[in-house]
Amino acid sequence: MTSLFENYGRWDVELVSGNGTTVTDSEGKTYLDFTSGIGVCGLGHCHPKVVEALSEQARTIWHTSNLFKSTLQEEVAERLTQFSSGDAVFFCNSGAEANEAAIKLARKYTGKSKVITFQQSFHGRTFATMAATGQDKVKQGFGPMLETFVHLPFNHIEALEQEMDQDTAAVMLEIIQGEGGVHPATEEFLLTVEKLCAEYEALLIVDEIQTGMGRTGKPFAYQHFPLSPDIITSAKGLGNGFPTGAIIGKEKLKATFSPGSHGSTFGGNPLAMSAAKATIQMIFQEDFLKEVTEKGDYLTEKLNNVFSRWPSFKGIRHKGLMIGIEFSEEVAPLMAELRKNGLIVLNAGPNVLRLLPPLTVTRQEIDQAIEIWKQTLIQKV
């Protein structure tokens, strides 16, 4: 009997400790964690520099409020704008809150209501972000959705051209649809979105909740293309596991969020900012990001070799250390077998395995994971 709402399909595993890529459960069994808490612990579990920063801050002051100035907020905001196309930052506590704030900012700035998003997208579970999400399964049972959200086929330029009009406040998209199956946007599609947004005086919102913070080998995934979004949303990896989120917007938007227009009790609190500052200092280094790209290529090559002769294998999509492996069969049984053998992975829909290992994963750990894959597939034959 549990006193918790049963809204999570929990695995029968309780993780009680972690160090880097390795986690240990309550029975003493160890695993390689290739989920990073669903793309959160980019620096791995309990990274010493983040632990040190949090511990020091916890001994100083935990919370004030946003009525007071914050040097920590200023420092983190400066780094986020330095490594993005934005000029101003609002801090919150999660990806859903960041996307909610982005939608509010776009509608208030433009004075328009319609927001275009895409099928199979995922933007959150608040009412606005649920309405923005292009997956019916997250909306079932909650009654009518908020109006003025339109969902179009992803990467479909003609559909976008037909839908864009003077009533459009924003186009909101993921560079790679994570929850939707690890599907990347094409450069032609992204550049067309940006062009149409400029033409119709709409804002381009890029949801970098899962793809940002170095996950794809760049500070933000949109930077693989010649794009300049009006608003970027960030969370997950921003605090390496400590809850924090942010929107990064262009200078022209600053006056729109005037005093009293939007807020967050805990957003930008000292603990979150100390974790984010330590995380950014490590991830936004050129050599670190280069290694993410190289390790992603290394892991993908190894996986292709493992699966090349597997009958249900359809292919791999990846950018940096964001990897989707597609099969013609459901992957839940394979995930369970991998866990038994000491490797934790995710899915992205019924037929796609999703790998989001810590960005600090070593080549030795990748090789260990590959051996577990091989062992598991042999057992399934």
Side-chain angles (χ1 to χ4, degrees):
M1 188 70 176
T2 177
S3 297
L4 298 171
F5 277 104
E6 297 184 19
N7 54 308
Y8 298 112
R10 297 181 190 269
W11 300 333
D12 190 22
V13 176
E14 181 181 8
L15 302 180
V16 296
S17 65
N19 184 4
T21 308
T22 302
V23 290
T24 304
D25 70 14
S26 56
E27 304 297 321
K29 180 179 173 62
T30 61
Y31 308 79
L32 286 174
D33 180 10
F34 271 42
T35 74
S36 304
I38 314 184
V40 169
C41 299
L43 294 173
H45 296 276
C46 297
H47 191 286
K49 290 191 177 179
V50 181
V51 170
E52 180 184 359
L54 273 169
S55 299
E56 182 178 341
Q57 189 62 53
R59 288 190 294 267
T60 306
I61 190 167
W62 289 17
H63 179 75
T64 55
S65 84
N66 284 307
L67 294 173
F68 298 92
K69 292 181 178 180
S70 172
T71 299
L72 263 175
Q73 284 190 21
E74 292 286 356
E75 290 173 344
V76 177
E78 183 180 1
R79 295 288 280 177
L80 289 173
T81 57
Q82 178 186 352
F83 286 93
S84 73
S85 62
D87 304 290
V89 177
F90 165 80
F91 290 110
C92 52
N93 309 286
S94 68
E97 289 178 60
N99 284 338
E100 185 90 14
I103 292 165
K104 288 179 67 174
L105 180 58
R107 289 181 60 159
K108 193 169 191 287
Y109 174 79
T110 63
K112 299 184 284 188
S113 298
K114 185 166 79 173
V115 177
I116 296 173
T117 65
F118 298 93
Q119 295 168 9
Q120 296 305 118
S121 62
F122 183 84
H123 298 295
R125 296 183 185 273
T126 64
F127 256 93
T129 58
M130 181 170 58
T133 292
Q135 299 188 52
D136 289 340
K137 66 181 181 181
V138 306
K139 308 175 186 183
Q140 293 172 357
F142 295 106
M145 290 293 105
L146 297 181
E147 298 178 353
T148 71
F149 287 93
V150 178
H151 309 100
L152 301 179
F154 194 50
N155 281 326
H156 198 302
I157 291 173
E158 184 178 351
L160 180 65
E161 290 174 336
Q162 291 175 355
E163 187 61 44
M164 286 290 293
D165 57 25
Q166 296 296 339
D167 295 325
T168 305
V171 177
M172 186 175 191
L173 56 81
E174 301 157 275
I175 301 298
I176 303 171
Q177 292 186 328
E179 302 294 329
V182 193
H183 291 287
T186 66
E187 181 168 353
E188 182 183 12
F189 175 71
L190 291 171
L191 296 180
T192 300
V193 172
E194 185 175 54
K195 174 177 173 292
L196 290 171
C197 283
E199 182 179 339
Y200 287 97
E201 297 183 326
L203 299 184
L204 172 56
I205 304 172
V206 175
D207 177 343
E208 293 269 10
I209 306 304
Q210 190 166 148
T211 55
M213 293 306 298
R215 174 56 56 185
T216 68
K218 298 281 188 183
F220 298 99
Y222 80 84
Q223 292 166 333
H224 292 282
F225 307 95
L227 290 178
S228 183
D230 297 294
I231 303 173
I232 304 147
T233 60
S234 179
K236 283 193 181 287
L238 180 57
N240 202 58
F242 198 96
T244 186
I247 65 169
I248 312 164
K250 288 191 170 178
E251 179 71 29
K252 64 184 180 183
L253 305 175
K254 284 182 76 171
T256 304
F257 267 3
S258 55
S261 61
H262 191 57
S264 170
T265 297
F266 297 107
N269 74 79
L271 290 172
M273 293 297 93
S274 65
K277 180 180 176 182
T279 301
I280 288 171
Q281 285 175 339
M282 287 177 277
I283 289 179
F284 286 3
Q285 296 182 49
E286 186 175 348
D287 288 346
F288 184 96
L289 293 168
K290 182 181 177 184
E291 280 200 8
V292 170
T293 299
E294 291 171 350
K295 287 185 289 191
D297 291 342
Y298 179 77
L299 174 53
T300 301
E301 181 183 356
K302 294 277 188 178
L303 288 167
N304 268 312
N305 291 336
V306 169
F307 286 112
S308 60
R309 297 179 184 176
W310 189 251
S312 64
F313 174 62
K314 295 184 67 176
I316 297 179
R317 297 181 290 272
H318 95 287
K319 184 65 88 172
L321 283 167
M322 185 173 185
I323 299 168
I325 312 168
E326 186 170 3
F327 298 86
S328 59
E329 60 184 348
E330 293 195 0
V331 297
L334 179 55
M335 291 171 61
E337 289 300 316
L338 288 167
R339 281 198 303 277
K340 288 181 183 178
N341 291 330
L343 177 64
I344 307 174
V345 299
L346 298 163
N347 67 308
N351 301 98
V352 176
L353 285 177
R354 180 172 32 148
L355 308 185
L356 300 170
L359 307 182
T360 51
V361 66
T362 65
R363 282 171 173 75
Q364 181 182 5
E365 289 168 334
I366 289 172
D367 290 341
Q368 290 172 1
I370 292 298
E371 289 306 311
I372 294 174
W373 281 104
K374 291 177 179 178
Q375 175 188 351
T376 304
L377 293 178
I378 289 171
Q379 292 170 349
K380 280 179 64 66
V381 172

